[in-house]
Amino acid sequence: MKKMRTLFLPILVILALVISGCAVSPGSGSGNGSKKQTVKIAFIGPLTGGNSRIGLGGRNSARLAVYDANHNKNNKYHYELVEYDDENTTQAGNQVALKASSDPSVIGGIAHYGSVVALATVDTYHKAGFPTMIWGAVHPDITLGNDYKEIFRVPGTQIDQNKQAAEFVTKLGFKKVGVLYDTTDYGRGHFKYFKENLQKLGGQIVAEMPVQPDQQDLNAELTKIQAKKPDLIWFAGLAPEGVRVKKQMDAMNIKTQFMGVSGLVNEEYNSALGAEGSEGSLAIIDGAPTSSLPGGEKFMKDYKARKYSEAPEAYGPFAYVSTDLMIQAIEKVGPDRKKVTNWLDTKVKNIDSMIGKVTFNEHGQNDMPLFTPMVSQDGKWVPYAESEYQTGKRKLPGKK
Amino acid sequence: MDMIGQQLMNAVMLGTMYSLVAIGFSLFFGTMNVIHFSHGDISMLGAFIALFFVPIITQYSVLGSVIMFIGAIVIVAVLGIFLSGLVIQPLQSSPQLYTLLATLEAGLVIREAIRLFYPGGKMSQKFPIIFPSGGFSIGGLTIRFDQLFILAIGVAVFVATVLIVNKTSLGMAIRAYSQDKEASMMMGVSESKVIAVTFALGSALAAIAGILHGTYYREVIYTMGLTSGIIGFSAATIGGLGSIWGAIVGGYLFAFIQTSVSAFVPGGSEYRDVIAFGVMILFLLFRPTGILGERQSERV
Amino acid sequence: MLEINGLSSGYGKIEVLHQINLHVDEGEVVSVLGANGAGKTTLMRTIINLIHARSGTIKYRGKDITHLKTHQIHALGIGIVPEGKRLFEKMTVMENLRMGCFLEKNERVIAERIEKAFDMFPRLKERKDQLSGTMSGGEQAMLTIARGTMSDPDLLIMDEPSFGLAPVLINEMFSIIKRISQEGKTVLLVEQNAWKGLEISDRGYLLQKGEVILEGKSSELKENSLVKKAYFSN
């Protein structure tokens, strides 16, 4: 019995190889008679750690795009996704960025969720002439702060995001806002644009507390903010820190409405806090909700069919579109980094994609007109407009 | 006024946790002349071992919490003894740099072990709330029940530690050993017993700090020992290495500096650690033996 | 009572003691004499295993104690008055005395012994709550001896108890040692002050460069030219 089991796996592997080989060979034999050339694309994101859910969702979505491309008979190339874990740290990020961009067989990259990581690696990509699509990082300077031709981004920037966040907050009637932001470029960036826009709309920042991203104790800061009696506590940072803020708010029995930035839209936030702790937290993300995207329904269906063990999360659709655009470029001009860069730089104007039209400006930045406010409801992030908070069935915890 | 009171309470909470770790540093240095750099990670380990008892807590609540507390403390105390036998005692006659390196590396091993082998160890782990939630107000000052529990446990542990060291024969042995190792042995003090008791005691206090940290912040992560270790060491140094009261004073002082900077300096949170550690450096420069420390000439 | 055969020991690569043979019989006062650096203190430290023996054996009442730990040796009934006092300076006089009978758990016995120590050294009673580190040299020397006797040992090993004391105090010290011996205790005394040492001891050993070069009755040794030479040559 034991022997059987040990033999079972190798036999299965051999069988799988034989079957897949059989299935592939007629396909590759068709056409001009030669096998399709394999082209490698890198996916880089946080595959482990506190932001890994987002990273794995992005990775799966990139895999889906590659799968779709490889099943498109008209495509000239066969694609292979090489996956790297940037752990959402600059240290690991720099290492894998160098690894990916220095491998000549990798034509381009779909890279990064963390803004801090992306800001640290764009130089590397530029020096290597490595066309890179940023799929989840939103700090404006990643694309706008340099003249690097190689860097492109489909999702919007913090500038646009916070303009809409400020409008959303004002519309809900929150006027006095207490702020916590992490002292990385990511947190600072968000805060800068949020403050600008909120003040334009007549809102008021009653307290602003910069905190270190690894700071454990936030009682002093929250005490100080709470003393100013804000009607909203707004936090700029990623989900793991957001969890820490919310947990300490709960422990301190602070009932004030809590809101985060796009970095908070991570199901990890809900599972770490539990439905009770996360209920009613607000945030905002790029684009429309997946379900209402032009290709959203198909994307969700295909994604489900592939049986990935993790959900696409907030940035899955962007990772998909980024990968798809990279593949389109390679199909058009061939697996050549320079040509791919040029194509992406000049030819991406009003291209249809599952998230709608994509247009890169002179900085490689997509004009992203649409953002979606989200609310945590029953332990899940849902678009605010589709939530029971919108219909009035539930009330935000901070609302009188 | 209530703002100051509230912030004072925040600082007291922090200080209690810092002091519990700091006492260990002071004890180890006092008795064995070592700086045990994995001590912060021992504290983290206490919190994670406590997590293993979580199924019990959901079943029995109060009794479960007590079992969790005692269970984790005992296990960590034993691990502390084991660790001292592994990385500290064998290096006693080697240059101090070796002990320093060995304990640093032991800390790294503990940290990485949790990161790699604890399920989902890279991420923050939810820690159970073991004290009753809620609280009460006195004149605008809100006091939470968990804060009262933490403070009460902290003070009880401080008093117990001081009593053990000053009033019991074991404590007398530890003190005698720390003042003159050989002379104490001539009086019948067993060296291995003193070392074991010291490490068990110090590690148990660190485990308590870890558990209190967990329940106060409601989460723990494998890196938490890094910060508490450095701060605990600094606090023990400010207070005067070797002195238990010194370590306690140092822990609270560090917490008060951090909290005041966060609370009363605009945008200060960003600089709270810089300022707190800066003060520590000043102490090292102008009062190298610490607030309650012995004169340098008496050591060595 | 104490039997040392072929004992060698030292520090690092240097061997200090070479093949020492020495014995102490029940009730005796035996002094070990020798100039600075002769190996007297090394011998004492080897007996209580603060320095490990390289070869040879040490037996106490027939039991091999060569490899016992220091605290275990003490527990057999050997009291120690170490060289250089070695008091617990941040402890009070009382605490130091209590440390002297650390293994005794019976409070009544402890109280009796403390009474006895105060009887022998009335000065200590006056100072009982003072930190020992703040006392005068003479008082510290007294406390060291009192502490050594607190465990009511059968054998008391004393390493230069008179070192650094004023002449008046030295005389007092030796009369105390005499009294301890009269109470039935066996004493092994290391002394640099050869005349005084021989005066109160029954037998003596002369150490030179880590070897016993002479042994005999104290009265004989006093007259020996080698002893004179050993002491006046440096």
Side-chain angles (χ1 to χ4, degrees):
Chain A
M1 204 41 217
K2 211 171 179 183
K3 219 173 195 173
M4 280 279 284
R5 211 177 303 158
T6 52
L7 278 174
F8 186 65
L9 200 71
I11 290 174
L12 201 75
V13 170
I14 291 165
L15 266 177
L17 283 175
V18 171
I19 292 168
S20 62
C22 290
V24 165
S25 48
S28 59
S30 67
N32 53 16
S34 69
K35 228 174 142 191
K36 274 186 188 175
Q37 186 188 341
T38 296
V39 176
K40 287 187 195 164
I41 300 173
F43 176 86
I44 307 176
L47 304 180
T48 59
N51 292 291
S52 59
R53 284 203 185 193
I54 297 273
L56 293 168
R59 195 257 336 250
N60 294 342
S61 306
R63 279 185 181 177
L64 180 62
V66 167
Y67 176 86
D68 286 350
N70 286 339
H71 284 76
N72 183 341
K73 288 211 177 83
N74 302 322
N75 278 354
K76 287 178 238 162
Y77 303 99
H78 180 84
Y79 295 93
E80 186 187 325
L81 196 68
V82 199
E83 297 161 5
Y84 297 94
D85 183 6
D86 69 14
E87 299 174 18
N88 215 38
T89 65
T90 49
Q91 198 191 355
N94 274 320
Q95 277 173 16
V96 294
L98 198 65
K99 216 165 164 185
S101 62
S102 60
D103 180 347
S105 72
V106 179
I107 302 308
I110 316 302
H112 305 311
Y113 169 63
S115 289
V116 180
V117 188
L119 285 169
T121 56
V122 287
D123 288 347
T124 306
Y125 300 132
H126 168 65
K127 276 182 200 143
F130 186 71
T132 304
M133 308 281 275
I134 303 294
W135 61 271
V138 293
H139 193 283
D141 288 353
I142 298 167
T143 46
L144 309 183
N146 57 56
D147 289 322
Y148 298 162
K149 270 181 76 178
E150 295 82 1
I151 312 298
F152 305 93
R153 174 163 55 189
V154 179
T157 69
Q158 292 175 336
I159 302 176
D160 303 319
Q161 178 186 137
N162 286 294
K163 192 166 163 238
Q164 305 210 10
E167 282 166 11
F168 175 66
V169 163
T170 311
K171 215 168 78 192
L172 287 177
F174 296 118
K175 286 257 178 321
K176 290 157 73 184
V177 181
V179 170
L180 276 166
Y181 61 93
D182 87 24
T183 54
T184 64
D185 289 336
Y186 179 76
R188 284 183 197 285
H190 269 300
F191 177 53
K192 183 180 163 206
Y193 301 111
F194 181 72
K195 188 178 179 180
E196 265 176 31
N197 285 294
L198 188 74
Q199 286 172 344
K200 263 185 225 160
L201 296 167
Q204 190 191 352
I205 306 280
V206 293
E208 48 176 280
M209 302 260 106
V211 295
Q212 296 153 57
D214 59 350
Q215 184 175 323
Q216 178 67 59
D217 186 275
L218 302 163
N219 282 279
E221 289 76 8
L222 287 169
T223 302
K224 200 172 166 187
I225 288 178
Q226 200 52 15
K228 296 276 163 53
K229 303 202 167 40
D231 34 47
L232 177 75
I233 293 179
W234 182 85
F235 171 67
L238 297 174
E241 304 156 45
V243 169
R244 200 179 299 151
V245 176
K246 188 62 176 35
K247 277 194 172 171
Q248 291 182 35
M249 278 175 66
D250 290 347
M252 292 172 74
N253 204 23
I254 295 178
K255 305 275 193 226
T256 310
Q257 174 64 42
F258 181 63
M259 178 168 174
V261 294
S262 54
L264 200 70
V265 186
N266 177 338
E267 288 304 332
E268 182 62 32
Y269 178 78
N270 296 314
S271 63
L273 284 166
E276 207 182 314
S278 61
E279 184 66 39
S281 293
L282 297 170
I284 188 164
I285 52 158
D286 306 61
T290 310
S291 55
S292 59
L293 290 170
E297 222 158 279
K298 182 176 178 303
F299 173 78
M300 286 315 292
K301 209 182 94 213
D302 293 349
Y303 193 96
K304 249 187 208 129
R306 300 300 305 145
K307 293 193 167 59
Y308 298 118
S309 44
E310 304 89 7
E313 293 277 349
Y315 285 89
F318 295 103
Y320 181 90
V321 171
S322 301
T323 313
D324 185 48
L325 277 172
M326 181 69 72
I327 288 171
Q328 283 189 39
I330 295 168
E331 285 297 325
K332 291 273 155 48
V333 297
D336 178 299
R337 288 181 180 183
K338 207 163 186 173
K339 286 181 187 162
V340 169
T341 304
N342 276 330
W343 190 87
L344 289 169
D345 193 27
T346 52
K347 297 285 193 278
V348 182
K349 303 284 174 229
N350 275 318
I351 289 193
D352 278 315
S353 80
M354 64 154 287
I355 62 155
K357 304 259 190 234
V358 175
T359 300
F360 285 149
N361 68 11
E362 67 276 19
H363 286 285
Q365 175 63 49
N366 182 27
D367 301 323
M368 193 71 210
L370 201 57
F371 286 81
T372 308
M374 304 289 280
V375 64
S376 178
Q377 179 178 294
D378 297 327
K380 263 201 177 111
W381 285 111
V382 296
Y384 187 84
E386 296 168 15
S387 72
E388 295 187 354
Y389 291 97
Q390 174 73 17
T391 60
K393 206 166 168 191
R394 297 190 199 192
K395 270 207 164 101
L396 287 175
K399 278 292 230 186
K400 281 139 220 157
Chain B
M1 192 47 218
D2 45 325
M3 172 76 169
I4 293 175
Q6 207 71 56
Q7 295 292 12
L8 194 71
M9 195 67 193
N10 290 333
V12 166
M13 288 300 105
L14 264 184
T16 306
M17 290 182 269
Y18 290 165
S19 299
L20 285 169
V21 178
I23 291 174
F25 277 102
S26 223
L27 267 178
F28 302 149
F29 187 82
T31 49
M32 300 189 62
N33 243 321
V34 294
I35 291 163
H36 179 24
F37 271 115
S38 47
H39 192 53
D41 299 296
I42 293 284
S43 172
M44 176 272 290
L45 204 57
F48 273 87
I49 288 172
L51 280 184
F52 282 110
F53 289 88
V54 164
I56 301 174
I57 297 181
T58 48
Q59 277 172 356
Y60 302 113
S61 180
V62 175
L63 179 64
S65 304
V66 173
I67 293 175
M68 178 186 93
F69 242 98
I70 294 173
I73 290 166
V74 170
I75 294 172
V76 172
V78 172
L79 287 173
I81 297 174
F82 176 72
L83 195 69
S84 83
L86 201 70
V87 297
I88 292 175
Q89 290 189 54
L91 294 171
Q92 258 190 299
S93 48
S94 314
Q96 278 207 328
L97 187 66
Y98 288 32
T99 319
L100 203 142
L101 270 178
T103 54
L104 264 178
E105 280 154 11
L108 193 101
V109 170
I110 296 170
R111 244 177 355 260
E112 288 299 291
I114 294 291
R115 186 176 76 95
L116 295 171
F117 302 122
Y118 193 89
K122 257 191 170 182
M123 294 190 227
S124 289
Q125 304 296 319
K126 194 173 181 169
F127 201 89
I129 298 162
I130 50 181
F131 301 126
S133 46
F136 56 89
S137 294
I138 325 171
L141 180 69
T142 310
I143 294 174
R144 284 149 54 187
F145 292 133
D146 65 339
Q147 292 177 323
L148 280 185
F149 270 97
I150 290 171
L151 183 60
I153 290 177
V155 171
V157 170
F158 296 150
V159 172
T161 308
V162 171
L163 285 180
I164 287 173
V165 172
N166 286 319
K167 300 287 174 208
T168 67
S169 84
L170 256 167
M172 195 150 91
I174 293 176
R175 279 186 300 140
Y177 182 87
S178 70
Q179 291 175 35
D180 192 326
K181 209 162 137 175
E182 288 182 355
S184 74
M185 281 147 65
M186 293 176 205
M187 306 299 135
V189 171
S190 158
E191 180 169 37
S192 50
K193 205 165 152 190
V194 165
I195 293 173
V197 169
T198 308
F199 272 88
L201 183 61
S203 305
L205 297 189
I208 295 171
I211 298 169
L212 295 181
H213 173 113
T215 189
Y216 187 54
Y217 298 118
R218 304 183 177 187
E219 61 172 9
V220 290
I221 188 161
Y222 73 101
T223 50
M224 67 188 250
L226 273 176
T227 337
S228 67
I230 294 171
I231 293 175
F233 171 52
S234 308
T237 312
I238 301 178
L241 278 169
S243 157
I244 291 176
W245 283 120
I248 296 170
V249 170
Y252 283 105
L253 185 68
F254 203 96
F256 284 122
I257 298 172
Q258 274 190 328
T259 306
S260 330
V261 173
S262 280
F264 305 115
V265 179
S269 302
E270 200 175 350
Y271 306 104
R272 59 172 216 161
D273 286 350
V274 177
I275 292 172
F277 284 110
V279 170
M280 204 211 106
I281 293 170
L282 288 182
F283 260 104
L284 289 180
L285 287 176
F286 295 108
R287 201 177 156 79
T289 53
I291 301 167
L292 301 179
E294 49 211 304
R295 289 209 327 274
Q296 199 72 17
S297 55
E298 288 173 10
R299 263 266 148 250
V300 195
Chain C
M1 191 178 212
L2 186 72
E3 239 178 284
I4 298 172
N5 283 308
L7 185 69
S8 301
S9 79
Y11 309 89
K13 282 182 180 161
I14 304 154
E15 189 176 285
V16 179
L17 295 180
H18 320 286
Q19 300 285 322
I20 301 279
N21 294 313
L22 183 150
H23 68 96
V24 182
D25 294 330
E26 190 106 41
E28 274 189 313
V29 176
V30 173
S31 50
V32 176
L33 314 170
N36 245 343
K40 304 186 302 284
T41 293
T42 306
L43 174 61
M44 293 302 123
R45 291 171 65 82
T46 311
I47 294 173
I48 57 175
N49 202 12
L50 283 174
I51 301 170
H52 302 306
R54 296 187 176 178
S55 63
T57 55
I58 306 165
K59 282 185 180 165
Y60 178 70
R61 294 190 190 281
K63 182 181 154 87
D64 188 345
I65 61 164
T66 321
H67 302 293
L68 289 186
K69 298 232 166 81
T70 306
H71 70 273
Q72 293 168 323
I73 293 171
H74 168 83
L76 293 174
I78 299 179
I80 300 151
V81 177
E83 186 206 19
K85 305 188 186 89
R86 308 293 290 265
L87 289 171
F88 305 113
E89 298 197 340
K90 282 178 285 172
M91 288 187 178
T92 62
V93 169
M94 275 298 258
E95 285 177 313
N96 268 281
L97 291 176
R98 293 189 73 100
M99 273 312 295
C101 57
F102 177 70
L103 297 176
E104 180 59 60
K105 299 297 169 206
N106 187 331
E107 281 296 326
R108 207 169 44 84
V109 175
I110 295 174
E112 275 171 21
R113 293 205 187 140
I114 289 175
E115 257 332 290
K116 209 172 140 194
F118 285 159
D119 182 46
M120 206 186 302
F121 303 100
R123 270 308 275 259
L124 294 182
K125 191 169 186 175
E126 294 165 29
R127 301 251 182 255
K128 71 181 165 61
D129 295 319
Q130 191 173 337
L131 290 184
S132 68
T134 63
M135 297 195 303
S136 74
E139 289 163 344
Q140 290 187 345
M142 288 174 196
L143 180 55
T144 314
I145 293 175
R147 185 182 65 176
T149 59
M150 278 299 288
S151 62
D152 194 23
D154 299 332
L155 170 65
L156 188 62
I157 297 177
M158 305 174 93
D159 197 347
E160 306 215 25
S162 70
F163 184 78
L165 291 183
V168 191
L169 286 173
I170 292 179
N171 285 335
E172 199 186 325
M173 186 69 57
F174 279 102
S175 67
I176 285 163
I177 296 171
K178 213 166 184 173
R179 185 174 151 189
I180 290 170
S181 139
Q182 280 161 358
E183 280 169 9
K185 300 210 185 308
T186 311
V187 177
L188 177 59
L189 175 69
V190 163
E191 219 6 282
Q192 217 177 355
N193 191 330
W195 310 122
K196 290 279 178 195
L198 289 173
E199 219 162 77
I200 62 159
S201 58
D202 303 304
R203 288 189 302 116
Y205 290 82
L206 180 62
L207 241 57
Q208 196 176 55
K209 290 181 179 153
E211 279 173 81
V212 175
I213 56 163
L214 200 66
E215 64 169 293
K217 287 215 164 77
S218 298
S219 50
E220 293 165 12
L221 287 180
K222 267 191 201 168
E223 307 305 321
N224 193 294
S225 59
L226 270 175
V227 177
K228 288 178 184 164
K229 201 178 143 215
Y231 275 90
F232 296 108
S233 63
N234 59 24

